[in-house]
Amino acid sequence: MHWRLFATLAETAGDTEVEVDVDAGATVGDAFDALLETYPALEDEVLDDDGDLYEHVRLLHEGRDPFAEEAGFETALEDGDELALFPPVSGG
């Protein structure tokens, strides 16, 4: 599964685009777990003390928020889908 990582998350993983292995019929949650298994240093940046995705971290599936528009971590993936993970961004 193809992930695009941004800002500090890309720095932590060492690249802006990474691939992780998931089985056929995988979900967004499966791909997220595979990402953290492959790049464990990301956990501190994206998970809170309860092991939940921080509210300020954005995860997108095919450019959409799976938590608002789909079934969240249970959203089914298809070959060729892209996932993206964004840390909080501020500026002025």
Side-chain angles (χ1 to χ4, degrees):
M1 183 56 49
H2 185 81
W3 280 93
R4 294 190 69 207
L5 304 173
F6 294 85
T8 58
L9 302 180
E11 291 173 19
T12 299
D15 206 340
T16 58
E17 297 190 30
V18 299
E19 297 286 331
V20 297
D21 292 326
V22 294
D23 294 330
T27 64
V28 168
D30 295 329
F32 184 71
D33 290 344
L35 177 69
L36 297 183
E37 184 177 308
T38 305
Y39 301 94
L42 289 173
E43 284 188 31
D44 289 340
E45 295 188 50
V46 299
L47 298 180
D48 64 20
D49 291 336
D50 294 325
D52 297 321
L53 187 66
Y54 279 121
E55 287 184 25
H56 58 266
V57 172
R58 293 291 167 246
L59 189 159
L60 298 179
H61 168 239
E62 290 296 300
R64 296 180 305 276
D65 181 345
F67 302 101
E69 301 178 37
E70 300 173 305
F73 280 122
E74 296 303 314
T75 302
L77 298 173
E78 297 181 16
D79 284 341
D81 281 2
E82 181 178 81
L83 296 163
L85 203 56
F86 297 82
V89 178
S90 62

